[in-house]
Amino acid sequence: QTKKSRNAARSRRGKENFEFFELAKMLPLPGAITSQLDKASVIRLTISYLHMRTFASQGDPPWSPLLEGDNNCSKVRRSSHSLATDMFEQHLGAHLLQSLDGFVFVVSQEGRFLYISETVSIYLGLSQVELTGSSVFDYIHPADHVEMAERLGIRPHLRAEAGCHTAPESASSSASTSSLAGTPEPAPSSPHASADDPTERGFFIRMKSTLTKRGLHVKSSGYKVIHVTGRIRCRPALVPGSTHSVRRPMGLVALAHTLPPSTLNEVRMESHMFVFRVNMDLQVTYCENR
């Protein structure tokens, strides 16, 4: 009986592993990556991919990928030039991402990364697989949580559920950052957006970074200042009991630029100057003897 139970459990695990393996192969990721994923990561990435499909198809305007065999495709014999153009267009997205001085991401209305370009590893040292499906609040400075929640339009009573920490210092940081960004605030009290509400967003946050400063062989403070520019994507929705249509926010589509840290090599040091370093809390971490 014990041997039969062990065999049944082994068979069940084998079937489960096979289903996870097949599910991982369906993800839009290279096989070298999907073959290394654990079960929790497969589920997280699958859910994010399904949410991203909904985000793309139900938003206004819908994002429709070009399908093979489309009626617009020409059946005539193509020249070598047109073939080269077609080959380029197949990889157009990758070319655009590589040419951008930053990375692209999509955050849902609940504050989770639905998509982030693999180029994030160049600027923050974080992986696309790690971030996709994770909460954005896990990767930004606690003092910037309120700022991010306001930009996404997350209502105050739902922020804790999304992972946003609303500490008093966060509010002050948010106020100062908002004045720096100089962009209009979304109205967090309403789940709908009126036609007059601006959807453009532009603000500054601090995101976690695992990159090491060149030549110093020590990790930086752990955060990089990111300039985020983008817009809130909405979908049309009917008001119950009415023919009036409203725009319901779905999330943020944005481009992120990392601001380069100022280097002391660019500053001419006079005899009456000295160098000191402070962290994000303005505590002195280093000071020259002089």
Side-chain angles (χ1 to χ4, degrees):
Q1 183 68 27
T2 304
K3 184 177 180 181
K4 187 180 294 184
S5 299
R6 283 201 302 265
N7 290 338
R10 188 182 299 112
S11 175
R12 185 168 58 250
R13 286 195 302 270
K15 291 178 181 179
E16 179 183 293
N17 291 336
F18 176 77
E19 293 298 331
F20 272 99
F21 176 74
E22 290 296 311
L23 181 60
K25 287 200 304 184
M26 299 173 66
L27 292 171
L29 293 169
I33 294 179
T34 57
S35 62
Q36 303 297 322
L37 296 176
D38 57 24
K39 294 177 182 179
S41 297
V42 171
I43 294 297
R44 171 172 53 85
L45 293 171
T46 301
I47 292 173
S48 299
Y49 178 61
L50 293 175
H51 281 313
M52 187 63 196
R53 284 174 61 100
T54 303
F55 188 89
S57 61
Q58 294 189 5
D60 184 28
W63 297 339
S64 301
L66 295 176
L67 302 177
E68 289 186 29
D70 194 355
N71 294 330
N72 296 328
C73 294
S74 175
K75 302 297 183 182
V76 299
R77 185 171 182 175
R78 296 173 179 174
S79 64
S80 59
H81 174 73
S82 63
L83 285 175
T85 304
D86 290 345
M87 288 297 294
F88 179 82
E89 289 178 349
Q90 286 180 11
H91 305 283
L92 181 59
H95 290 311
L96 290 175
L97 289 175
Q98 293 295 332
S99 64
L100 291 175
D101 186 22
F103 57 93
V104 178
F105 66 87
V106 177
V107 177
S108 70
Q109 191 66 15
E110 294 76 30
R112 292 196 171 270
F113 286 110
L114 298 183
Y115 169 80
I116 189 164
S117 62
E118 59 186 10
T119 48
V120 66
S121 61
I122 301 174
Y123 301 96
L124 298 179
L126 304 173
S127 72
Q128 180 188 45
V129 171
E130 174 191 353
L131 289 167
T132 304
S134 302
S135 173
V136 67
F137 298 106
D138 292 339
Y139 293 92
I140 63 176
H141 195 279
D144 295 334
H145 282 195
V146 171
E147 169 81 7
M148 190 69 189
E150 289 177 349
R151 299 300 178 173
L152 288 173
I154 301 177
R155 287 175 285 179
H157 66 282
L158 297 176
R159 291 178 182 176
E161 182 180 344
C164 171
H165 302 295
T166 54
E169 62 268 19
S170 299
S172 61
S173 172
S174 173
S176 62
T177 316
S178 298
S179 62
L180 177 64
T183 54
E185 296 278 345
S189 59
S190 173
H192 306 294
S194 68
D196 298 329
D197 287 341
T199 57
E200 288 77 13
R201 296 289 184 268
F203 54 98
F204 295 86
I205 56 174
R206 287 160 288 182
M207 290 191 69
K208 285 184 178 179
S209 171
T210 61
L211 295 179
T212 303
K213 289 184 177 180
R214 285 184 185 174
L216 297 181
H217 304 291
V218 294
K219 286 193 174 181
S220 56
S221 60
Y223 290 92
K224 272 193 173 184
V225 179
I226 306 294
H227 182 205
V228 179
T229 54
R231 64 173 58 235
I232 296 294
R233 182 168 170 81
C234 301
R235 63 181 175 90
L238 290 176
V239 177
S242 170
T243 58
H244 181 61
S245 178
V246 295
R247 295 183 303 140
R248 188 186 297 273
M250 298 180 68
L252 173 68
V253 183
L255 171 64
H257 294 276
T258 58
L259 299 189
S262 59
T263 59
L264 293 179
N265 297 332
E266 299 172 353
V267 181
R268 182 177 177 179
M269 301 299 295
E270 304 291 346
S271 59
H272 61 277
M273 295 181 179
F274 66 95
V275 176
F276 69 98
R277 186 185 303 128
V278 298
N279 61 15
M280 288 292 186
D281 297 321
L282 298 183
Q283 296 173 332
V284 178
T285 59
Y286 168 78
C287 185
E288 278 188 325
N289 289 333
R290 58 175 171 171

